[in-house]
Amino acid sequence: MATIDDVAKKAGVGRSTVSRVLNNSPKVSDKTRELVFKAIKELDYHPSSIARGLAGNSTYTIGIILDNTMDKAYANPFIYEVLRGIEKTIYENGYNLLLVGMNTRRGNKLATELILQGKMVDGLVLQSQLIMSPFFKIIQGYNLPVVSIGKLDKKKEISWVDIDNFEAGYMAASYLYSRGYNKIAFEGIDDSKVFAVDRYRGYLKFIHEIGSQPLIADKFYSDVDAIICLDNMCAFKVLQNCKQLGKKIPEEIGIMTFDDYPLAEYLEPTITNIDVDLFALGSEVGKEILRKVKERDGDVKEIQIPVSINVRESTK
Amino acid sequence: MATIDDVAKKAGVGRSTVSRVLNNSPKVSDKTRELVFKAIKELDYHPSSIARGLAGNSTYTIGIILDNTMDKAYANPFIYEVLRGIEKTIYENGYNLLLVGMNTRRGNKLATELILQGKMVDGLVLQSQLIMSPFFKIIQGYNLPVVSIGKLDKKKEISWVDIDNFEAGYMAASYLYSRGYNKIAFEGIDDSKVFAVDRYRGYLKFIHEIGSQPLIADKFYSDVDAIICLDNMCAFKVLQNCKQLGKKIPEEIGIMTFDDYPLAEYLEPTITNIDVDLFALGSEVGKEILRKVKERDGDVKEIQIPVSINVRESTK
DNA sequence: AATGTAAGTGGAAGCGCTTCCACTATAGGA
DNA sequence: TCCTATAGTGGAAGCGCTTCCACTTACATT
């Protein structure tokens, strides 16, 4: 295993010069730089992140804390799609990802230790709900760059990235209206979740803009001609109800949901939905944490990922 | 941030004694040990993994390479459920998880570098399909402990952990038979996937044991009274076909599938299935890689996770 | 009393880097 | 011509640990 000294010797330069080349310092002449690169290639040298971490102040590692204790992965696959997006950005920038789970007692302890150790990770990504949890207070003391997956309603001096759920709700309502539906209900309201509240608020805004009142569908869907479902499971139930009631989709009733989950594609009819790009969400999270790590600047960004519409069979 | 020297000073002992305490060396008297522990607690000292990695030979970090380039997380959430199991075991044993994705070109490079750097990870977990990939050859040179998620059909001198898919197939057939079905077909045969082949082989074994011949259902399901579906998407289609054909479930036709995916629970009727415990699979992967890392022994284990049955409405 | 042994301990080297500091050229200005 | 910046470079210290080696005890053996 070649070390930096081997490279230095082979290139006929000093150890610090090699280091400078590795770190893209401008204070190296082109001639020397080439010499060093040649030696690196010949020796197939790879710098040790461990040593770099000890010596300098960067481990090129981002920690990520997942709140996946409770849910089975397929009950809540969304966070993993976000993870994929994060990975991509992180890897492309030459960083590593250290996964810190909360699914054990030790999770908490470990997460804390990572920060206490200071040098283990350069930055931390975590889900918004964890920011409310008690252990997060410990983190705050160590002014480590942090980015939240998911909107923070209270100002917390932390950057966050989320789907633009307000826009999603608005877009769903406005699309249905544009297709000729005008008694549009919203199903599955849930005050406890920020994304749910935002989707509903987006819906509300549009409904008010056209001078209407929000609706909640009754048992027989008799007073509505379209239903926006909070999520896929909700859509699934609404769909089954419609079938039992003998309602024709999309003629008598239009249905929309959010997230282009496989269900939406396999059901009969397939469901029109507002597609939320979780992979893009993850990418932005990655970009933001790297920006904070590299620039070491403190300004807090609130990033919303635009949504798009996926027209299928459940709407006119 | 307290260091080992601070602890040594506070406890009034040498630095190496503190190190011995940290590493559970028996060569420390109880008195001294207590003194050191007290100092550690008072200083809220946490050893730096980075420094330990550089000095010793362990980083207490396991690398995991996910082959998640292509599939959206919800198209294939299974691997993430395995991941949850791995996390749990790894964290409980005081190790960290370094995630290495393949979802970029750099993925390959990085994964290789991790190994080349040698000290970055103590062991490596990867999906069976990656073992066949060209980049795996590079890994082999560095005799790092490796465990495969998923069965390896060819002997590769690598431990693997997988669901007992053969048993799963056998169990499905035998359960249907025990409920009075005797014209049992297998739907969704796929030669290209080890798990699919094993499920089918398990089915075959039972069918032969009762002196029958394997069946493949025709378009109208006229010659069968039960169908074992390779996976949930397959089951979903079979279910829809049955409805169109007006077949009564479970009276006229019994349906079974594998994996207790949410679909199985939400469909009408709900689907009886062989539950494969992917979380347990992950736990075993974690245990096995830690065993190899700690014991540094080379014996190859082949671990099969037992399956269980989940009776729902689609069978008599 | 002299020797041997084992348990316990501290000192120091070294893991592979980064970075500060001191140094040497080289070129430009007086 | 001499002096002074400045770009470029090498040496050495140090990051926080582990581990080897040398050393001191205390006690059992002759």
Side-chain angles (χ1 to χ4, degrees):
Chain A
M1 199 75 52
T3 73
I4 198 172
D5 284 330
D6 299 329
V7 175
K9 208 169 288 169
K10 182 129 205 161
V13 301
R15 178 210 306 225
S16 30
T17 299
V18 178
S19 176
R20 275 186 281 262
V21 171
L22 291 175
N23 293 285
N24 295 314
S25 161
K27 308 190 139 208
V28 184
S29 70
D30 289 349
K31 252 183 257 174
T32 313
R33 191 180 300 273
E34 249 173 71
L35 239 52
V36 171
F37 275 136
K38 207 177 139 226
I40 287 178
K41 196 162 271 180
E42 281 176 23
L43 292 169
D44 194 25
Y45 164 76
H46 300 263
S48 152
S49 324
I50 294 287
R52 296 181 102 174
L54 224 209
N57 41 28
S58 179
T59 51
Y60 298 93
T61 300
I62 303 294
I64 174 163
I65 308 185
L66 256 35
D67 181 26
N68 59 358
T69 320
M70 306 307 291
D71 292 335
K72 278 195 158 194
Y74 18 97
N76 187 18
F78 307 108
I79 186 60
Y80 297 103
E81 184 60 12
V82 175
L83 180 61
R84 287 182 62 237
I86 297 177
E87 283 180 40
K88 182 167 188 292
T89 310
I90 298 291
Y91 298 146
E92 280 180 348
N93 285 276
Y95 278 67
N96 302 316
L97 254 193
L98 194 69
L99 207 56
V100 185
M102 304 291 296
N103 73 8
T104 62
R105 276 276 169 72
R106 230 194 113 68
N108 266 282
K109 191 156 167 287
L110 216 153
T112 312
E113 277 181 9
L114 279 180
I115 288 96
L116 289 176
Q117 287 168 199
K119 306 201 120 182
M120 195 72 200
V121 296
D122 296 348
L124 207 55
V125 169
L126 30 74
Q127 286 178 267
S128 52
Q129 61 263 42
L130 296 177
I131 303 220
M132 320 305 175
S133 89
F135 106 102
F136 181 69
K137 282 182 187 153
I138 307 170
I139 295 180
Q140 288 186 292
Y142 297 84
N143 79 324
L144 198 71
V146 175
V147 171
S148 159
I149 303 172
K151 184 173 173 180
L152 299 173
D153 38 359
K154 292 162 201 149
K155 259 277 188 259
K156 280 276 187 182
E157 302 299 310
I158 293 167
S159 290
W160 58 258
V161 186
D162 204 346
I163 294 302
D164 191 344
N165 282 303
F166 183 87
E167 176 65 19
Y170 186 92
M171 192 183 280
S174 103
Y175 179 73
L176 284 170
Y177 188 72
S178 78
R179 303 303 298 161
Y181 299 100
N182 51 36
K183 291 182 285 182
I184 304 166
F186 193 102
E187 194 85 345
I189 300 170
D190 181 346
D191 291 340
S192 70
K193 286 167 184 159
V194 180
F195 81 88
V197 170
D198 280 355
R199 283 177 190 178
Y200 183 68
R201 282 183 40 238
Y203 155 81
L204 264 189
K205 186 184 174 212
F206 181 82
I207 293 300
H208 288 148
E209 275 179 16
I210 57 168
S212 282
Q213 288 298 316
L215 292 172
I216 295 180
D218 66 25
K219 253 187 177 173
F220 306 106
Y221 298 166
S222 57
D223 56 343
V224 302
D225 62 5
I227 298 179
I228 299 173
C229 305
L230 176 66
D231 57 32
N232 281 287
M233 281 311 164
C234 171
F236 191 78
K237 285 170 201 158
V238 168
L239 197 64
Q240 299 217 318
N241 290 343
C242 283
K243 282 181 183 173
Q244 280 182 1
L245 294 166
K247 291 264 181 188
K248 278 193 182 166
I249 304 168
E251 295 81 4
E252 293 177 79
I253 200 154
I255 299 182
M256 281 194 70
T257 181
F258 303 90
D259 312 327
D260 197 24
Y261 198 73
L263 264 175
E265 206 175 340
Y266 282 94
L267 293 176
E268 276 203 12
T270 56
I271 310 277
T272 297
N273 57 77
I274 302 295
D275 198 0
V276 296
D277 191 343
L278 297 169
F279 190 85
L281 166 52
S283 295
E284 288 302 321
V285 169
K287 279 182 205 159
E288 176 64 9
I289 189 66
L290 289 179
R291 183 187 68 83
K292 295 202 91 171
V293 165
K294 285 175 182 167
E295 299 181 10
R296 280 266 158 212
D297 85 346
D299 64 309
V300 174
K301 289 204 180 171
E302 305 187 342
I303 301 168
Q304 306 242 48
I305 307 297
V307 294
S308 61
I309 190 158
N310 232 318
V311 177
R312 296 210 207 274
E313 300 164 355
S314 67
T315 49
K316 287 192 272 205
Chain B
M1 200 75 52
T3 73
I4 198 172
D5 284 331
D6 300 328
V7 175
K9 207 170 289 169
K10 183 130 205 160
V13 301
R15 180 210 306 224
S16 32
T17 299
V18 177
S19 176
R20 274 187 281 262
V21 171
L22 291 175
N23 292 286
N24 295 315
S25 161
K27 307 189 141 207
V28 183
S29 71
D30 290 347
K31 252 183 254 173
T32 312
R33 190 178 300 273
E34 250 173 70
L35 239 52
V36 171
F37 275 137
K38 207 176 140 226
I40 287 178
K41 196 162 272 180
E42 282 177 22
L43 292 169
D44 193 25
Y45 164 77
H46 300 264
S48 152
S49 325
I50 294 287
R52 297 182 100 173
L54 187 57
N57 40 27
S58 178
T59 51
Y60 299 94
T61 300
I62 303 294
I64 174 164
I65 308 184
L66 257 35
D67 180 26
N68 58 359
T69 319
M70 306 307 291
D71 292 334
K72 278 195 156 194
Y74 20 96
N76 187 16
F78 307 108
I79 186 59
Y80 298 103
E81 183 62 12
V82 174
L83 180 61
R84 287 182 61 236
I86 297 177
E87 284 180 41
K88 182 168 189 291
T89 311
I90 297 291
Y91 297 146
E92 281 179 349
N93 285 275
Y95 277 67
N96 302 317
L97 252 194
L98 193 69
L99 208 56
V100 185
M102 304 290 296
N103 72 8
T104 62
R105 275 276 168 72
R106 229 195 114 68
N108 266 281
K109 189 158 168 288
L110 216 154
T112 312
E113 277 182 7
L114 279 179
I115 288 97
L116 289 174
Q117 287 168 199
K119 307 201 116 179
M120 196 70 201
V121 296
D122 297 347
L124 207 55
V125 169
L126 31 75
Q127 288 178 267
S128 52
Q129 61 263 43
L130 296 177
I131 302 221
M132 321 306 176
S133 89
F135 105 101
F136 181 68
K137 281 181 188 153
I138 308 170
I139 295 181
Q140 289 186 291
Y142 298 85
N143 79 323
L144 198 71
V146 174
V147 171
S148 159
I149 304 172
K151 184 173 171 180
L152 299 173
D153 39 359
K154 291 161 203 151
K155 258 275 189 264
K156 280 277 189 182
E157 301 300 312
I158 292 167
S159 290
W160 58 259
V161 186
D162 204 345
I163 295 300
D164 191 344
N165 282 302
F166 183 87
E167 176 64 20
Y170 186 92
M171 193 184 277
S174 105
Y175 178 75
L176 285 169
Y177 188 73
S178 78
R179 304 301 299 160
Y181 299 99
N182 50 36
K183 291 182 286 182
I184 305 168
F186 193 102
E187 195 85 344
I189 300 171
D190 180 346
D191 291 341
S192 70
K193 286 168 184 158
V194 180
F195 81 89
V197 171
D198 279 356
R199 284 176 190 177
Y200 183 67
R201 282 183 40 240
Y203 155 82
L204 264 190
K205 186 184 175 212
F206 181 82
I207 294 298
H208 288 148
E209 276 180 15
I210 58 169
S212 282
Q213 288 299 315
L215 292 172
I216 295 180
D218 66 25
K219 252 188 176 173
F220 306 106
Y221 299 165
S222 58
D223 56 343
V224 303
D225 61 6
I227 299 179
I228 298 173
C229 305
L230 176 67
D231 57 31
N232 280 287
M233 282 309 162
C234 172
F236 190 79
K237 285 170 201 159
V238 167
L239 197 64
Q240 299 216 319
N241 290 343
C242 284
K243 283 182 183 173
Q244 280 182 1
L245 293 167
K247 291 265 181 186
K248 278 194 181 164
I249 304 169
E251 294 81 5
E252 294 176 79
I253 199 154
I255 299 181
M256 280 194 72
T257 181
F258 303 89
D259 312 327
D260 196 23
Y261 198 73
L263 265 176
E265 205 175 344
Y266 281 95
L267 293 175
E268 276 203 10
T270 57
I271 311 278
T272 298
N273 58 75
I274 302 295
D275 198 1
V276 296
D277 191 344
L278 297 168
F279 190 85
L281 166 52
S283 295
E284 288 301 322
V285 169
K287 279 183 206 159
E288 176 62 9
I289 189 65
L290 289 178
R291 182 187 70 82
K292 294 201 93 171
V293 165
K294 287 176 182 167
E295 298 180 12
R296 280 266 158 213
D297 86 346
D299 63 309
V300 174
K301 288 203 181 170
E302 306 187 340
I303 301 167
Q304 306 242 48
I305 307 296
V307 294
S308 61
I309 191 159
N310 233 317
V311 177
R312 298 210 205 274
E313 299 164 357
S314 67
T315 49
K316 286 192 271 204

